[in-house]
Amino acid sequence: MRVISKVTELHQWRAKTRSQNKTVGFVPTMGALHQGHFSLVEAAKSKCDVVAVSIFVNPSQFAPHEDYDNYPRDLESDLKKLEPYYQNVQDDDDFIVFAPSVEEMYPRGITLDIERQIGGFVEIRGLSLQLEGVTRPHFFRGVATVVTKLFCAVQPDLAFFGQKDIQQCFVVRALVEDLIMFPMKVVIVPTQRDPKTGLALSSRNVYLTDDERDNLAPMFYKGLKDAVAAYENKNERSAEKLLALVRNRAEKEGGLNIEYISLIEPDTLEPVVGNVGEKGAILCGAWRIGAARLIDNVLLGIPLMPKD
């Protein structure tokens, strides 16, 4: 498997694929790969001639007090996990991994202190300071910046993101629409879950104990499913009642430390007032359990992918 660490080499690879009229599917990751990531790789392989997977733990989306230094990193293990997807490719350049250094991605240097950062950064106003942005106001500035850098480096035709990070999906879509230098589309792939518990797969699940992973953390998703059942089977549209169903299961029964539970409009990500309308809504939240901070969401009456 070809592993590229330099942007100049990546541009040479992209020039070759373009000369062969091959479409490129791109899967950006921070490593610690799991089945959620592999579902994105599988989707990219099904829709594109060539697949590029990036592995890069992006410092600019972490605050000084967060887990950047402890975030799981094992490039050798990640490459081994990707080997089955590399098998049977016609050309060694049809499946590559881009694993740059921090210096390659931030040539001016980078500090976690946003006030001391220098160089170019990207912000998506209007979608970044609610939900995840309330407690992590720096986060989507870092995400938008690194995604812009990666898009410029890889120049994909399609980029694949997971539904679990639903706000990130909206931010990236807005980035692609607003920065018109990107002639590409964003594909959102459904959240991958533990088949027994329903817990959304996440790199941060490694922080959970067996009991937390199997019995406590899944209570949030059970609350989300309660709300989905009420919405679909009982025609429940009251935002207050739908939110209460999630909170009752996750906070009261599960004892989870809820950071937020929100029912939001699909176009603005602002809270639904009163009842869910014809546009549907996104029900989402974040909670802490042990050393882990986890997020999840479900869609109420809206498609995962908008119509072209």
Side-chain angles (χ1 to χ4, degrees):
M1 189 187 309
R2 183 175 179 182
V3 180
I4 298 174
S5 61
K6 299 293 184 182
V7 171
T8 52
E9 183 182 352
L10 189 67
H11 285 169
Q12 293 168 358
W13 163 83
R14 188 61 179 99
K16 176 185 175 181
T17 61
R18 185 175 289 110
S19 70
Q20 297 172 330
N21 293 318
K22 291 182 176 180
T23 56
V24 172
F26 177 45
V27 180
T29 83
M30 293 210 302
L33 301 182
H34 52 68
Q35 187 55 47
H37 297 112
F38 302 144
S39 70
L40 304 182
V41 174
E42 290 166 355
K45 288 195 70 173
S46 71
K47 293 179 179 294
C48 300
D49 302 316
V50 175
V51 175
V53 178
S54 68
I55 298 176
F56 177 69
V57 182
N58 175 40
S60 69
Q61 66 194 61
F62 291 82
H65 66 280
E66 293 181 335
D67 59 347
Y68 174 68
D69 289 335
N70 295 323
Y71 195 87
R73 297 169 174 85
D74 192 339
L75 179 59
E76 183 176 350
S77 174
D78 286 337
L79 294 176
K80 191 168 185 177
K81 292 175 184 177
L82 287 171
E83 283 181 0
Y85 302 94
Y86 170 74
Q87 301 301 319
N88 301 320
V89 298
Q90 295 181 354
D91 186 313
D92 285 344
D93 283 336
D94 285 353
F95 192 103
I96 65 104
V97 173
F98 180 47
S101 65
V102 172
E103 292 75 20
E104 186 73 9
M105 294 297 287
Y106 293 92
R108 294 178 183 269
I110 186 70
T111 172
L112 301 190
D113 182 354
I114 195 171
E115 299 300 327
R116 295 172 52 221
Q117 290 175 351
I118 59 174
F121 293 85
V122 180
E123 289 184 303
I124 303 298
R125 300 290 182 91
L127 298 174
S128 296
L129 295 182
Q130 57 268 67
L131 304 172
E132 290 295 287
V134 172
T135 57
R136 307 181 75 194
H138 60 284
F139 179 70
F140 287 111
R141 177 178 180 267
V143 169
T145 297
V146 77
V147 167
T148 299
K149 289 171 178 278
L150 290 169
F151 285 173
C152 288
V154 178
Q155 302 165 43
D157 297 288
L158 298 177
F160 296 80
F161 291 81
Q163 179 196 340
K164 181 180 72 69
D165 301 294
I166 193 67
Q167 187 175 5
Q168 174 176 274
C169 293
F170 277 79
V171 167
V172 173
R173 273 186 174 168
L175 184 154
V176 170
E177 292 171 1
D178 293 348
L179 301 184
I180 55 176
M181 62 181 176
F182 298 132
M184 53 167 288
K185 291 185 178 180
V186 174
V187 179
I188 301 175
V189 177
T191 302
Q192 300 297 298
R193 300 184 179 278
D194 183 290
K196 294 183 179 180
T197 67
L199 180 65
L201 301 185
S202 169
S203 300
R204 287 190 166 91
N205 288 356
V206 299
Y207 298 148
L208 300 172
T209 66
D210 290 344
D211 180 60
E212 289 169 343
R213 184 184 64 251
D214 296 339
N215 300 308
L216 300 179
M219 293 299 285
F220 192 90
Y221 181 55
K222 290 181 179 180
L224 293 178
K225 289 202 299 181
D226 290 343
V228 170
Y231 181 88
E232 294 181 348
N233 302 328
K234 299 181 180 180
N235 202 35
E236 181 61 71
R237 296 296 184 268
S238 165
E240 181 179 355
K241 291 181 180 179
L242 291 169
L243 289 167
L245 287 170
V246 185
R247 192 172 296 279
N248 181 66
R249 177 82 76 159
E251 198 169 50
K252 292 184 179 179
E253 294 186 27
L256 301 181
N257 181 12
I258 302 298
E259 194 168 283
Y260 69 84
I261 303 174
S262 297
L263 186 67
I264 56 175
E265 301 283 357
D267 47 0
T268 65
L269 305 189
E270 293 299 327
V272 171
V273 178
N275 294 336
V276 177
E278 293 182 357
K279 292 182 179 180
I282 301 168
L283 185 57
C284 59
W287 69 102
R288 294 184 182 274
I289 180 168
R293 180 185 185 275
L294 305 176
I295 60 174
D296 204 351
N297 69 85
V298 292
L299 307 181
L300 302 180
I302 62 175
L304 188 60
M305 297 292 296
K307 295 180 180 179
D308 292 333

